Amino acid sequence: MFMQSLPGFRDFLPDDCAKRNYIFARWREVARRYGFLEWEGPPLETTDLYKKKSGTEIVEQLFNFIDKGDREVALRPELTPTLARVVAAHEREFKKPIKWFSIGQFFRYEKQQRGRLREHFQLNCDIIGEKNLAADIELVALCIDVLRAFALTEKDFVVRISDREFWTDFFRGNNVPAERWADLLQAIDKSAREPREKTADKLGDFADPVFATLKSGGKSPKLEQLVEGLRARGLADFVTIDVGIVRGLAYYTGVVFEVFDRAGKFRAIAGGGRYDNLISQLSDGTLSQAALGFAMGDVVLGELIDEIPVAREAMRQATADDRRIAIYVVVAKEERRADALAEVQQLRDRGYRVDYPLTPTKVARQFQAAEELGARIALLYGDEWPQVKIKNMGTGDQELVAHNGLLAHLQAQYSLSS
Ligand code: HAM
């Protein structure tokens, strides 16, 4: 029996890594296009950080333990509490609004199921220090554009937008005691995924008005304004107002949104919203900063890319090129190995991706390796020395070049982008 990995944890073989790097590259590229700067926090935090801020569901899913210094610690299940902690400590050093993104791995002790593992990667994008709805519009636009970078369209995914203030106003209007708000929000959050009776039980006396509001969709001028802002950018077809979205995390205060595939096959691709009180809570009231952000996971996104042919093809093309080498050095005569290796070194110094056989190998096998590795050219070191034979692996054309002019010749005649 081979040792198994833990349930919910993935091994990333080279193909999986290529796909992951493709996802990370798109994430990074679009976040930078929006002027966001990359940052990172630690993978381990004090358990308290999450107990206080994330809400009960995530605390039940913590990977936590006591470390050797008797500290209660947890692998991070999300980035937002860390961000709030870091901003509270360093806020003065940065001009507002702060626009930061981060790509990292997160851990939740969830029941393993399609789209949900015990580790996953997230892109987090957050804006700190801007109350205006313009920031919410910018953030949702960024989220849409990140997904568009994977060749996904409005036919493939939808951003469901809501507002927690819509519900807190509703609670006030219906005289719901404030201490019940959090529970009711949780029940509304789960209502689409749970049997109606279970939700009704949790809502108690307020079941009827809540169900009626969910059915009618409610009205929110703020959300309509948000959609108008996206319409001005040509992105309105990607969003829909859905007050049934309230998000599971405890700290959200205003606009919230979640992204789903249009076909409704998968779990949420991304989610986020405003958390204007979190930084103040984490700094015990000494600092108050408006904040909003979202996170997109790699697991569901990967599933969706595999599902949509155009997106899958875009990924295949991008990753196929990524894996190719440029040059395969064929050592046709072992006496030439030292000369060949000297050139391998020079070619690699120039930035080309170069491979060669580590041990004596039949020439036919070497060409086979060149093909398998996707080499654009093969360089043959044999009887022709001090000339080197260049074989174009695409066309089969061959030519002889003096070895001391080889680098210049390759640069001038071949596009071997490294
Ligand atoms: P979240 O909705 O808990 O939000 O997670 C964001 C995304 O991470 C989900 O939509 C999903 O794609 C992915 N994800 C979450 N848990 C798992 C899992 N167990 N397996 C695979 N993927 C998963 C947050 O984490 C907030 N902190 C987002 C945020 C940032 N809010 C403001 N700024």
Side-chain angles (χ1 to χ4, degrees), residues 22-37:
Y22 169 74
I23 290 176
F24 288 4
R26 303 284 91 69
W27 281 354
R28 197 165 265 128
E29 178 194 315
V30 182
R32 290 294 298 127
R33 247 193 255 161
Y34 272 68
F36 281 60
L37 295 181

Side-chain angles (χ1 to χ4, degrees), residues 355-373:
D355 214 342
Y356 68 95
L358 288 173
T359 54
T361 308
K362 287 206 176 84
V363 171
R365 288 282 299 276
Q366 296 189 49
F367 275 109
Q368 198 185 334
E371 214 147 278
E372 284 165 7
L373 295 168

Side-chain angles (χ1 to χ4, degrees), residues 158-167 185-186 188-193 214 217 223 240-248 252 254-260 268 270-273:
V158 57
V159 184
R160 299 189 180 285
I161 305 180
S162 177
D163 184 6
R164 278 214 176 167
E165 277 179 8
F166 170 88
W167 284 108
L185 285 172
Q186 288 269 347
I188 296 166
D189 177 56
K190 289 222 167 78
S191 65
R193 280 172 279 145
L214 283 171
L223 292 177
T240 172
I241 296 174
D242 177 354
V243 293
I245 301 287
V246 291
R247 307 269 299 132
Y252 292 114
V255 167
V256 284
F257 60 93
E258 232 160 350
V259 186
F260 292 94

Side-chain angles (χ1 to χ4, degrees), residues 213-227:
T213 308
L214 283 171
K215 198 163 171 215
S216 68
K219 239 191 126 37
S220 162
K222 194 207 281 180
L223 292 177
E224 276 156 26
Q225 205 185 328
L226 204 165
V227 174

Side-chain angles (χ1 to χ4, degrees), residues 282-341:
L282 272 174
S283 61
D284 290 324
T286 53
L287 179 78
S288 169
Q289 282 290 341
L292 63 160
F294 75 85
M296 182 181 294
D298 68 323
V299 180
V300 184
L301 175 61
E303 288 174 347
L304 188 62
I305 292 171
D306 286 339
E307 176 87 0
I308 308 292
V310 181
R312 192 171 60 227
E313 181 53 23
M315 183 178 71
R316 195 196 60 74
Q317 275 180 20
T319 53
D321 263 9
D322 202 48
R323 258 170 288 167
R324 290 178 77 152
I325 60 161
I327 301 170
Y328 194 88
V329 166
V330 174
V331 184
K333 281 266 150 43
E334 278 303 316
E335 305 90 281
R336 296 273 75 83
R337 180 170 283 272
D339 300 314
L341 284 182

Side-chain angles (χ1 to χ4, degrees), residues 183-287:
D183 286 346
L184 294 194
L185 285 172
Q186 288 269 347
I188 296 166
D189 177 56
K190 289 222 167 78
S191 65
R193 280 172 279 145
E194 271 181 358
R196 194 184 163 96
E197 307 79 68
K198 197 165 176 190
T199 309
D201 254 8
K202 292 186 194 166
L203 295 173
D205 304 346
F206 304 102
D208 286 345
V210 168
F211 280 131
T213 308
L214 283 171
K215 198 163 171 215
S216 68
K219 239 191 126 37
S220 162
K222 194 207 281 180
L223 292 177
E224 276 156 26
Q225 205 185 328
L226 204 165
V227 174
E228 279 320 301
L230 291 165
R231 195 179 311 284
R233 302 172 180 222
L235 298 178
D237 291 345
F238 288 91
V239 295
T240 172
I241 296 174
D242 177 354
V243 293
I245 301 287
V246 291
R247 307 269 299 132
L249 294 157
Y251 45 69
Y252 292 114
T253 52
V255 167
V256 284
F257 60 93
E258 232 160 350
V259 186
F260 292 94
D261 61 302
R262 280 274 183 200
K265 251 177 113 167
F266 303 114
R267 301 286 299 260
I269 306 162
R274 261 203 186 265
Y275 48 99
D276 284 347
N277 298 335
L278 186 60
I279 294 169
S280 151
Q281 285 168 8
L282 272 174
S283 61
D284 290 324
T286 53
L287 179 78

